[in-house]
Amino acid sequence: YTAYIQRILETRCKVGKVFPLGDREKVIQAAQADVKLGGRGRIYLIDGDLDLIAGISPPAATRLYCHDVYHLENYFVCEAALLSVLHEENPRLSIDEIKMQLDYAGWLQEIKPLLYLFSVFGLTRILDPSLPTIKLGIGAFVSDRKIDEAKIRTFCEARVSALEAAIDPPLV
């Protein structure tokens, strides 16, 4: 994570160490409690999560920064970035060899059902944040180590129906 964060920050500062603090709420609490001036520079980073879809701003705290993406790894979900990182990890393979093994277009097709799922998660975050979303885990939507489109469709249809039923007045 140190290298990734350093790349995101470019030359604005040098990242010495990354200290995981736990989940989003623990990081926010630590940032809000950190009011001491001086000392070593420090920042608290949180992912955009479903708040991005819902348009919810992160809480105010001097050293709290929220990524403009759902998750830190989303910065690398473009073919060029993935190829670059994979080539750095295995320089014996050429970019073309990595590209063939990666099959980026096939991978995008395989994860396409997740767009629908995360759209419904975003809708849930807006309409009823008490309902579970990402805490369900991806395992709930996988069969035989592959994304199960039928499970996603079944879940999403049931969730949207439940959200519609809870709207007062009901949608026509």
Side-chain angles (χ1 to χ4, degrees), residues 6-25:
Q6 186 67 57
R7 284 183 183 180
I8 293 165
L9 295 174
E10 296 170 344
T11 59
R12 289 177 274 185
C13 63
K14 182 172 177 11
V15 177
K17 289 186 178 183
V18 174
F19 298 97
L21 298 176
D23 65 21
R24 179 184 179 89
E25 287 307 312

Side-chain angles (χ1 to χ4, degrees), residues 47-95:
D47 294 324
D49 291 332
L50 295 173
D51 289 357
L52 285 173
I53 297 171
I56 299 169
S57 298
T62 305
R63 295 182 178 97
L64 181 65
Y65 296 90
C66 182
H67 294 294
D68 292 332
V69 293
Y70 174 79
H71 197 278
L72 176 67
E73 285 81 359
N74 286 100
Y75 285 116
F76 306 104
V77 184
C78 78
E79 188 174 23
L82 285 170
L83 290 172
S84 176
V85 169
L86 291 170
H87 185 60
E88 284 178 21
E89 291 297 316
N90 194 350
R92 288 175 281 165
L93 292 176
S94 72
I95 294 287

Side-chain angles (χ1 to χ4, degrees), residues 74-157:
N74 286 100
Y75 285 116
F76 306 104
V77 184
C78 78
E79 188 174 23
L82 285 170
L83 290 172
S84 176
V85 169
L86 291 170
H87 185 60
E88 284 178 21
E89 291 297 316
N90 194 350
R92 288 175 281 165
L93 292 176
S94 72
I95 294 287
D96 288 336
E97 289 172 313
I98 295 169
K99 193 173 189 172
M100 283 191 343
Q101 289 180 19
L102 180 61
D103 184 22
Y104 186 74
W107 177 73
L108 284 178
Q109 212 39 45
E110 189 177 316
I111 66 166
K112 203 170 187 179
L114 293 177
L115 293 174
Y116 181 42
L117 177 65
F118 276 82
S119 295
V120 171
F121 281 176
L123 186 63
T124 300
R125 177 71 176 95
I126 294 166
L127 297 176
D128 189 351
S130 70
L131 294 174
T133 55
I134 56 172
K135 292 195 184 222
L136 293 169
I138 194 66
F141 307 103
V142 171
S143 296
D144 298 322
R145 300 177 53 115
K146 291 193 181 259
I147 295 169
D148 189 326
E149 198 168 346
K151 283 184 177 181
I152 290 174
R153 191 176 334 100
T154 300
F155 170 83
C156 289
E157 288 171 358

